[in-house]
Amino acid sequence: MPDIPLSTLVMLCVVAAAAGWIDAVVGGGGLLLLPALLLGHPHLQPAYLLGTNKAVAIVGTSAAAVTYARRSPVDVRLAVRIGAAALAGSALGAFFAAGVSSDVLRPVIMGVLLAVLAFVALRPSFGTDAPATGPVTPRRVAAAVALAGLGIGFYDGLIGPGTGTFLVLALTAVLRLNLVQASATAKIVNVCTNFGALVMFSVQGTVLWSLAALLAVFNLGGGWFGAHMALKKGSGFVRGVLVVTVVGLVAKLAYDQWA
């Protein structure tokens, strides 16, 4: 276990639980956990924070994915196909993470998030409509594999925060799912992206395993609770959390860019 004060360790555990809850509902738990890890270890290289975050996140995300798969109508085979592409994309992103400046990517991501926020605000029914019936067309499956799999998977390995949110939005728009089904599918895909990135960070030796093991216990509890709450309260609740999360992501990225 890294040598950090008890008060900081308690803070990290609380944040890990909250991050698991947010990840389970709509994604974006890294928005909380990464800054907290930076506060606890201000002198560590970013790769160690990213690697430890992945080791924690994969536990809570896996718990949420299992909960959703048991209680929500999820096309597991389709989710695994997208997840396989996401695994490859996240591993590639993690490989390049050490050599790419996040200062270049933050303005682009903020622009995308602001566009997403405007879209959701102008379309109150987005993600709350009844899902499309019948099989998904091959064209939409291919688009989901490319966008939600390879594209967002690469981003997850490269930077990470907001991946779950991007996945929910992409799956809702491309596959015409409601927000609960999109969140359920996103959890399965997100497990794959976390695994791909974690393998690469592990090979590079940039994971604080003892700290990650402790925080993962709290992240697991938060993920389990968040998944059950989303299933109980439905798409309207997920939509509200989605808006709050997107606003938080924009604020955090803007702070990192200009503060």
Side-chain angles (χ1 to χ4, degrees), residues 23-110:
D23 266 337
V25 176
V26 76
L31 171 70
L32 294 178
L33 191 53
L34 273 176
L37 287 170
L38 179 60
L39 177 63
H41 303 279
H43 304 298
L44 280 180
Q45 295 179 358
Y48 283 91
L49 304 180
L50 291 168
T52 303
N53 177 61
K54 289 303 173 193
V56 175
I58 194 171
V59 176
T61 304
S62 298
V66 171
T67 301
Y68 276 118
R70 287 178 175 177
R71 299 183 57 183
S72 178
V74 182
D75 188 338
V76 177
R77 292 180 62 186
L78 176 58
V80 170
R81 289 176 63 183
I82 300 172
L87 190 153
S90 64
L92 187 63
F95 178 78
F96 286 105
V100 178
S101 172
S102 58
D103 291 337
V104 178
L105 297 178
R106 286 193 193 107
V108 177
I109 298 167
M110 279 189 286

